Amino acid sequence: METNLNKVLNQGVRHQLNGLLCKYTNVMKGWQYRWFAVDPQSGILSYYLSDSTSAGDDVPPPAHVLSSSPRGQVHLAGAVVCPSDEDSRTFSIGCASGDTIKLRAADARARQEWVDGLRAVVESHTKAMDISNSTPLPPRELLAASDAMASARQALYLTEQCNASLARAIENIECETFSPTDPDLLLMKAISTASTQCLHQCLSLLQRHQEINTPHSETTSVN
């Protein structure tokens, strides 16, 4: 079966990333099922009302629902997609507009497929947005940004080391109270890895923005 990520990255087949997810609406209504669809070409995430009652149900709403106006839409360019530390199914989308959408997949595997697929769309459209809207920074601000990026890379390197140390400590733990397969320890390990990956994505977005704003020296050819 083709995964959601492959559907997005396979440019020869114009599939949409879609499926049923739980969306956190508000304190009163809590979690509600919605049918989500991502158009990789436009970078827009749309969601529709659904009568389904189980996440992961691949049966779309009736045609008249999908042909009508969606319940909501967000642009994925500049967004940050992060797995949640609450459990193995929840993740969030922090949009460039400042809005945050909190979602829950059927299981950990489905969440990872959605996260990977959404990140692929985000990366593609964020790069296009940076190129079209870029304005070179003045030299002084450019130098400050370069120093900040160096500090961020160093901090991320230390974070990666801590994450690796935590993983090794859990895998090699020897005590009567815990084992390497303890659910809480496995969850801690997964959260640490997911958080590190999220930081990688954020740094990648910052690096791309810096590259766009860095003036390139012109080369003169001698005829």
Side-chain angles (χ1 to χ4, degrees):
M1 180 180 294
E2 187 179 29
T3 65
N4 281 330
L5 178 58
N6 289 334
K7 290 179 182 179
V8 173
L9 297 182
N10 186 358
Q11 298 179 358
V13 182
R14 296 182 180 275
H15 286 291
Q16 284 193 339
L17 174 63
N18 53 38
L20 192 71
L21 295 170
C22 253
K23 177 181 181 292
Y24 185 79
T25 53
N26 53 51
V27 177
M28 295 296 294
K29 295 184 178 180
W31 295 90
Q32 300 289 328
Y33 286 101
R34 299 286 184 264
W35 179 266
F36 284 81
V38 180
D39 183 355
Q41 307 304 317
S42 64
I44 294 178
L45 169 67
S46 305
Y47 56 93
Y48 304 82
L49 293 176
S50 175
D51 295 329
S52 298
T53 57
S54 60
D57 186 356
D58 290 331
V59 179
H64 72 274
V65 175
L66 294 178
S67 62
S68 62
S69 298
R71 185 73 171 178
Q73 285 186 322
V74 295
H75 291 272
L76 293 174
V80 176
V81 183
C82 292
S84 172
D85 58 1
E86 297 179 9
D87 53 46
S88 61
R89 300 187 297 139
T90 307
F91 63 99
S92 63
I93 304 173
C95 304
S97 62
D99 296 327
T100 299
I101 299 178
K102 193 173 181 180
L103 304 172
R104 181 175 291 165
D107 50 38
R109 179 177 179 180
R111 180 180 78 169
Q112 194 59 50
E113 287 188 5
W114 273 98
V115 169
D116 289 343
L118 288 168
R119 283 177 173 174
V121 176
V122 167
E123 182 177 359
S124 173
H125 286 273
T126 300
K127 184 176 182 179
M129 180 182 68
D130 286 344
I131 293 175
S132 61
N133 298 330
S134 62
T135 301
L137 292 173
R140 185 173 181 178
E141 283 79 357
L142 189 61
L143 180 60
S146 179
D147 291 341
M149 287 300 299
S151 298
R153 282 191 289 268
Q154 178 64 21
L156 183 56
Y157 172 72
L158 296 176
T159 301
E160 290 174 334
Q161 288 187 317
C162 291
N163 178 57
S165 297
L166 175 63
R168 287 194 298 270
I170 292 176
E171 292 167 0
N172 299 325
I173 192 169
E174 295 182 2
C175 69
E176 297 180 357
T177 307
F178 296 104
S179 71
T181 57
D182 181 85
D184 290 335
L185 292 180
L186 291 177
L187 180 59
M188 182 188 301
K189 182 180 176 181
I191 291 172
S192 177
T193 300
S195 299
T196 303
Q197 291 175 346
C198 185
L199 290 173
H200 265 291
Q201 185 190 17
C202 294
L203 182 60
S204 177
L205 292 174
L206 290 173
Q207 286 177 326
R208 187 177 301 113
H209 186 71
Q210 183 189 31
E211 291 170 359
I212 294 298
N213 284 278
T214 301
H216 298 282
S217 58
E218 297 182 357
T219 58
T220 304
S221 59
V222 179
N223 296 326

